[in-house]
């Protein structure tokens, strides 16, 4: 899940394309996707297209699941570090009740720190896991605490303000206290050096032994599958005894779990079908007992639920926050199927054989029988816990290996989130800086989104699965050049077909601007903008980046005598422009045919020569120009989303409709969550 999220951070920087079919005629100027930027972060928001078309029962279901998604927020703060809730409430009390000068630079810096703590669900950076610091002095911070009146600070029992200040201020400012949430430093005890709150007074060795014993016992008792030991608990040592404190009703985090369960039960009451009801009830039973075998039962039921329109993730899922990779942070995503986009992927898949038969590669290298892979596309309706505000763009769950093997997994992409990323990027100046002409910008704004989604569908559903090896070719001949060449094969398949009349025939788009937008952005990215991710003086290593430069530079070279792609300077800046789209498509076909030959025959020398000639080296002068232009744009490398709000409309105590609202104030949403969706004490 997380890997997809990180990938998107990078995509967000290098592309300015957008998506979703119904949007192409209405570029959505009025809806503000990018809300604000601070430190290295940007805050965006997303829309929930299709919500109004849900039935009342489905809307109610989304509403209840969304409430359940918000109810566990405090859990994540406490899991990340034991002081996080106390610090968050301290900051919020000041933010709300401080009546001194709120316009000063100092106070603004205090607010930036507060927003960063909200964003990271604690005082450690959400990505690097390093502690970050306010850009104000401890003395100023203490004065804010002393001068804030009217609200209350999260004092411990019997504690006065001064002793609370003495306790909390060093935790925020001292770089030696809790420097890392998750330490991976070799040679040091991972648990004692990590600030995350999954272990208390336990060494790495003790924790290893504890879980080894649990596994041994289970194996001895004849278990044929093992539960995910340690997933939903904190491991503590009390009076010399190592024991688990389990996250469950009546256990650790009970007050928040109670609320999650309350809303899940409501959701079960309006489930779409009996299978989905059983899924939700199994999850409730798991929260009530903390029993990990019930968690597995729930996951098996969940992965089998393919018919429901609404779907959700809710629980202790990913283990990136634990240096030992055992314990999971709490998260939730509520979503429903994007029928139109899913159909698009299914249409492409269903015609896989036609595409294979008509591809420009030698008949010997074609598959006589080809099967497309279909992917489900979803619309996120609410994000919670570790999925908020920094969000994955794809989900592939469950994580338990034995369930994946025996029952499969659900793999989805979240298109309204990628759409929002793209839309937010349109205003960031990236395309304006690097596009060759106003027409190019216009094409990108109108069709870029759909174009990049179609490209992804063609690449994933068909490209990788097309073609066959000649008898005698094993498939590993291309060695280290294999993966950029494989990506190039899939990309070229997509680039060749996105311009095919078959696209219109299948109803996948109705304007040639779509493929032109894709050609522009692909060439621009491959020749210019992806260089923003390369450090000065370095060459290109990453397979996808090598693939893109290979395709862009090679087609530039092949079409040079006919000026198919033009490279020119204006006001000292370099631009690239596609002059002849049809000729470019022919070149893509030619290149596809050659790369397929290289793969089918296992021609290492030809593959190596292509990559080394086009895909690795960076023009130093052009690179520094691109980096300078990019840095002037001041783009934040990390992004997150605020949630829509679902508001039930009631008549005589009954819900008769649910409305979706799109707030645009990050601070407002955070204060609302802390007031209305916060259930844990400051210290747990
Ligand atoms: Zn690929």
């Amino acid at each position: 899940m997380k890997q997809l999220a990180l990938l998107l951070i990078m995509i967000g920087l290098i592309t300015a394309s957008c998506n979703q079919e119904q949007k192409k005629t209405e570029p959505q100027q009025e809806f503000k996707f990018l809300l604000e930027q601070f430190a290295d972060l940007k805050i965006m928001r997303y829309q929930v297209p299709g919500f109004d078309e849900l039935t009342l029962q489905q809307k109610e279901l989304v509403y209840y699941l969304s409430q359940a998604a918000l109810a566990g927020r405090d859990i994540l703060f406490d899991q990340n570090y034991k002081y996080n809730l106390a610090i968050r409430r301290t900051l919020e009390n000041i933010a709300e009740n401080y009546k001194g000068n709120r316009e000063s630079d100092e106070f603004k810096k205090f607010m930036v720190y507060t927003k960063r703590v909200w964003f990271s669900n604690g005082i450690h950076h959400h990505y690097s896991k390093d502690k970050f610091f306010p850009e104000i002095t401890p003395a100023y911070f203490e004065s804010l605490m002393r001068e804030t009146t009217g609200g209350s600070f999260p004092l411990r029992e019997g504690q006065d303000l001064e002793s609370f200040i003495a306790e909390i201020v060093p935790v925020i400012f001292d770089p030696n206290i809790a420097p890392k949430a998750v330490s991976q430093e070799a040679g040091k005890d991972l648990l004692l050096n990590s600030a995350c709150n999954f272990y208390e007074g336990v060494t790495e060795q003790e924790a290893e032994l504890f879980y080894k014993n649990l596994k041994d016992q289970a194996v001895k008792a004849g278990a044929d599958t093992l539960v995910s030991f340690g997933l939903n608990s904190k491991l503590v040592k009390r009076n010399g005894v190592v024991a688990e404190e389990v996250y469950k009703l009546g256990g650790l985090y009970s007050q928040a779990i109670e609320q999650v369960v309350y809303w899940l039960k409501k959701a079960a009451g309006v489930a779409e079908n009996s299978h989905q009801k059983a899924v939700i009830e199994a999850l409730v039973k798991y929260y009530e007992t903390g029993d990990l075998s019930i968690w597995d039962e729930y996951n098996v039921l969940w992965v089998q639920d393919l018919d429901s329109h609404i779907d959700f993730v809710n629980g202790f899922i990913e283990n990136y926050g634990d240096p030992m990779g055992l314990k999971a942070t709490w998260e939730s995503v509520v979503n429903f199927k994007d029928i139109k986009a899913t159909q698009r992927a299914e249409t492409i898949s269903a015609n896989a054989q036609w595409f294979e038969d008509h591809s420009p590669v030698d008949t010997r290298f074609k598959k006589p029988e080809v099967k497309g892979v279909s992917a489900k596309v979803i619309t996120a309706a609410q994000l919670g816990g570790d999925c908020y505000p920094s969000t994955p763009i794809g989900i592939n769950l469950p994580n338990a290996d034995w369930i994946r093997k025996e029952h499969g997994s659900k793999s989805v992409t979240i298109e309204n989130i990628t759409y929002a990323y793209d839309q937010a990027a349109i205003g960031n100046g990236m395309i304006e800086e690097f596009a060759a002409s106003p027409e190019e910008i216009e094409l990108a704004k109108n069709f870029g989104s759909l174009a990049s989604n179609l490209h992804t569908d063609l690449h994933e559903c068909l490209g990788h699965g097309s073609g066959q090896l000649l008898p005698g070719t094993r498939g590993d001949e291309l060695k280290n050049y294999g993966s950029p060449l494989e990506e190039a094969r899939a990309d070229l398949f997509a680039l060749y077909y996105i311009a095919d009349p078959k696209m219109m025939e299948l109803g996948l788009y109705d304007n040639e601007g779509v493929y032109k937008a894709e050609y522009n952005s692909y060439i621009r990215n491959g020749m210019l903008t992806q260089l923003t991710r390369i450090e000065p003086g370095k060459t290109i290593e990453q397979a996808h980046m090598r693939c893109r430069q290979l395709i862009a530079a090679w087609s530039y070279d092949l079409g040079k005598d006919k000026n198919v792609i033009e490279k020119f300077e204006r006001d000292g800046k370099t631009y690239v422009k596609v002059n002849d789209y049809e000729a470019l498509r022919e070149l893509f076909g030619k290149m596809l045919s050659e790369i397929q030959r290289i793969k089918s025959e296992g021609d290492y020398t030809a593959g190596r020569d292509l990559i080394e000639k086009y895909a690795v080296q960076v023009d130093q002068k052009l690179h520094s120009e691109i980096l300078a232009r990019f840095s002037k744009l001041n783009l934040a490398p990390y992004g997150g989303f605020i949630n829509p709000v679902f508001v039930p409309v009631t008549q005589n105590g009954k819900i008769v409709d649910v409305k979706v609202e799109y707030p645009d104030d990050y601070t407002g949403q955070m204060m609302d969550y802390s007031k209305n969706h916060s259930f844990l004490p400051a210290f747990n």
Side-chain angles (χ1 to χ4, degrees):
M1 244 171 118
K2 297 283 158 61
Q3 282 168 345
L4 277 166
L6 299 180
L7 178 73
L8 189 72
I9 290 165
M10 297 190 281
I11 295 171
L13 281 174
I14 55 163
T15 67
S17 50
C18 19
N19 74 42
Q20 241 155 32
E21 283 163 83
Q22 68 267 34
K23 301 290 177 340
K24 70 188 171 199
T25 44
E26 26 162 343
Q28 297 280 323
Q29 263 97 1
E30 310 80 22
F31 191 86
K32 216 167 119 192
F33 286 91
L34 179 63
L35 298 176
E36 61 175 305
Q37 247 180 257
F38 49 86
D40 57 353
L41 306 171
K42 62 181 166 198
I43 303 290
M44 297 164 282
R45 60 178 177 163
Y46 61 97
Q47 294 170 303
V48 192
F51 180 77
D52 292 335
E53 284 80 61
L54 298 179
T55 65
L56 174 58
Q57 188 184 345
Q58 288 172 329
K59 286 181 183 173
E60 247 187 284
L61 180 57
V62 169
Y63 169 65
Y64 295 140
L65 290 172
S66 296
Q67 294 293 308
L70 299 179
R73 175 173 177 251
D74 282 356
I75 296 175
L76 179 67
F77 273 82
D78 196 71
Q79 286 183 309
N80 283 343
Y81 182 42
K82 62 183 177 183
Y83 273 101
N84 278 341
L85 282 171
I87 292 171
R88 192 190 83 200
R89 286 183 187 149
T90 298
L91 301 173
E92 285 165 352
N93 188 34
I94 297 168
E96 188 171 21
N97 295 306
Y98 177 69
K99 312 233 167 37
N101 182 4
R102 298 176 67 98
E103 295 305 313
S104 71
D105 276 357
E106 296 272 79
F107 192 80
K108 283 178 186 159
K109 284 177 183 166
F110 160 79
M111 280 310 298
V112 167
Y113 178 70
T114 303
K115 289 196 251 187
R116 294 185 72 185
V117 171
W118 283 329
F119 190 98
S120 289
N121 294 291
I123 65 169
H124 299 90
H125 192 277
H126 75 288
Y127 182 60
S128 74
K129 303 294 177 191
D130 291 330
K131 182 169 166 179
F132 56 84
F133 301 91
E135 291 180 349
I136 51 176
T137 63
Y140 174 71
F141 187 80
E142 287 179 20
S143 77
L144 288 177
M145 288 186 72
R146 292 194 184 94
E147 289 162 28
T148 294
T149 52
S152 63
F153 288 102
L155 311 179
R156 293 177 190 270
E157 227 178 87
Q159 198 176 29
D160 64 12
L161 181 63
E162 285 308 317
S163 80
F164 181 64
I165 289 176
E167 181 181 355
I168 206 98
V169 172
V171 177
I172 296 174
F173 287 91
D174 187 340
N176 296 313
I177 298 177
K180 255 197 168 300
V182 183
S183 168
Q184 295 289 2
E185 207 179 323
K188 283 188 174 178
D189 189 290
L190 295 183
L191 301 190
L192 301 180
N193 285 286
S194 297
C196 61
N197 195 17
F198 297 112
Y199 305 87
E200 197 178 301
V202 183
T203 65
E204 196 181 328
Q205 217 180 6
E206 287 169 328
E208 255 167 29
L209 186 67
F210 182 87
Y211 286 109
K212 186 183 171 295
N213 286 340
L214 283 187
K215 275 179 204 166
D216 288 349
Q217 279 165 25
V219 171
K220 243 186 223 159
D224 47 355
T225 57
L226 293 182
V227 299
S228 307
F229 286 112
L231 189 76
N232 64 336
S233 63
K234 179 173 174 176
L235 196 65
V236 300
K237 189 149 130 190
R238 302 228 195 277
N239 306 319
V241 181
V242 179
E244 280 187 328
E245 290 182 353
V246 177
Y247 312 146
K248 63 171 186 172
L249 222 58
L252 190 53
Y253 303 141
S254 187
Q255 303 96 320
I257 291 173
E258 228 170 83
Q259 294 292 322
V260 174
V261 164
Y262 171 84
W263 291 108
L264 286 177
K265 282 182 172 169
K266 291 238 175 211
V270 293
E272 293 177 85
N273 51 60
S274 58
H275 187 99
Q276 189 180 50
K277 188 164 187 271
V279 171
I280 302 172
E281 284 170 349
L283 183 59
V284 167
K285 202 168 142 206
Y286 159 68
Y287 275 130
E288 285 171 345
T289 59
D291 184 339
L292 286 168
S293 65
I294 300 176
W295 172 243
D296 280 354
E297 280 170 31
Y298 154 77
N299 275 296
V300 171
L301 285 170
W302 178 79
V303 89
Q304 289 167 342
D305 180 13
L306 298 170
D307 296 330
S308 303
H309 189 58
I310 316 285
D311 205 353
F312 71 104
V313 171
N314 186 308
F316 302 96
I317 314 265
E318 303 289 353
N319 57 19
Y320 305 100
D322 172 12
M324 291 188 62
L326 293 171
K327 301 181 175 300
T329 48
W330 190 86
E331 70 176 40
S332 184
V333 176
V334 184
N335 65 80
F336 53 88
K337 206 177 194 176
D338 180 338
I339 291 173
K340 214 171 168 183
T342 301
Q343 269 169 5
R344 188 191 66 219
E346 284 169 356
T347 300
I348 288 171
S349 253
N351 288 278
Q353 192 65 53
W354 186 93
F355 288 106
E356 184 74 0
D357 293 345
H358 292 80
S359 95
V361 314
D362 190 295
T363 316
R364 293 177 302 143
F365 310 144
K366 287 184 189 180
K367 268 202 181 105
E369 239 177 284
V370 62
K371 245 186 131 207
V373 183
S374 63
K376 183 169 121 174
V377 183
I378 60 169
T379 300
Q382 197 81 173
L383 310 165
D386 222 355
C387 293
Y388 176 96
S390 176
T391 310
I393 57 161
I395 299 177
N396 193 332
L397 288 174
N399 284 332
D401 283 329
W402 78 265
I403 301 180
R404 296 173 76 89
K405 213 168 126 199
E406 284 178 28
H407 303 277
S409 65
K410 276 195 225 175
S411 180
V412 300
T413 54
I414 313 177
E415 202 154 292
N416 62 326
I417 295 291
T418 54
Y419 177 70
Y421 256 113
D422 288 340
Q423 289 292 315
I426 279 177
N428 71 10
M430 187 76 184
I431 182 137
E432 287 78 2
E433 175 62 39
F434 290 101
S437 68
E439 295 77 51
E440 223 174 83
I441 297 172
E442 222 21 57
L443 276 176
K445 286 186 177 170
N446 290 334
F447 306 115
S449 248
L450 175 59
S452 79
N453 285 333
L454 268 177
H455 179 101
T456 306
D457 291 343
L458 290 165
H459 176 114
E460 301 290 351
C461 301
L462 302 180
H464 281 305
S466 73
Q468 66 177 2
L469 303 180
L470 283 188
T473 305
R474 297 182 313 271
D476 58 359
E477 289 84 356
L478 304 178
K479 296 183 202 157
N480 53 320
Y481 298 106
S483 88
L485 288 167
E486 174 57 19
E487 289 310 318
R489 200 175 66 88
D491 262 0
L492 285 166
F493 197 94
L495 289 165
Y496 178 77
Y497 274 119
I498 200 170
D500 199 285
K502 187 80 176 171
M503 292 284 116
M504 286 213 199
E505 203 183 292
L506 292 173
L508 295 165
Y509 62 71
D510 56 14
N511 192 310
E512 289 192 338
V514 174
Y515 92 78
K516 290 181 177 167
E518 183 58 23
Y519 279 19
N520 291 339
S521 95
Y522 198 94
I523 297 298
R524 188 169 61 236
N525 192 14
M527 290 179 77
L528 306 176
T529 50
Q530 75 165 1
L531 292 177
T532 58
R533 286 161 53 194
I534 301 289
E535 281 175 48
K538 294 259 165 76
T539 57
I540 297 178
E541 304 272 347
Q542 209 269 345
H544 291 86
M545 294 183 69
R546 282 188 167 187
C547 144
R548 287 189 287 260
Q549 181 164 302
L550 166 68
I551 293 174
W554 188 15
S555 54
Y556 172 72
D557 210 14
L558 287 176
K560 224 170 181 176
D561 51 340
K562 288 190 185 146
N563 207 19
V564 177
I565 298 168
E566 187 183 346
K567 201 166 169 181
F568 66 95
E569 264 190 36
R570 189 170 58 216
D571 306 327
K573 293 175 176 179
T574 307
Y575 297 91
V576 289
K577 183 171 174 285
V578 177
N579 282 326
D580 188 338
Y581 292 94
E582 274 169 43
L584 182 55
R585 183 179 183 226
E586 264 173 52
L587 293 180
F588 287 151
K590 210 168 141 187
M591 291 153 68
L592 172 59
S593 138
E594 171 62 2
I595 296 217
Q596 183 63 57
R597 182 199 66 75
I598 289 172
K599 173 161 177 155
S600 293
E601 296 179 352
D603 188 346
Y604 172 81
T605 314
R608 179 198 62 197
D609 291 352
L610 270 180
I611 296 284
E612 292 296 343
K613 181 171 182 195
Y614 292 113
V616 179
Q617 297 305 321
V618 178
D619 175 338
Q620 297 301 318
K621 193 169 153 274
L622 176 67
H623 191 199
S624 51
E625 177 205 316
I626 300 294
L627 288 178
R629 287 162 71 184
F630 181 69
S631 77
K632 279 197 190 132
L633 299 173
N634 278 324
L635 300 184
Y638 304 101
F641 292 87
I642 71 169
N643 273 317
V645 176
F646 296 100
V647 186
V649 182
T650 54
Q651 249 170 38
N652 307 321
K654 258 196 80 153
I655 295 181
V656 294
D657 197 10
V658 180
K659 299 274 179 214
V660 56
E661 290 175 1
Y662 299 104
D664 59 5
D665 174 14
Y666 180 54
T667 299
Q669 181 152 88
M670 291 295 82
M671 294 302 272
D672 169 61
Y673 284 4
S674 294
K675 272 189 189 133
N676 300 314
H677 304 273
S678 176
F679 305 105
L680 293 182
F683 297 99
N684 289 276

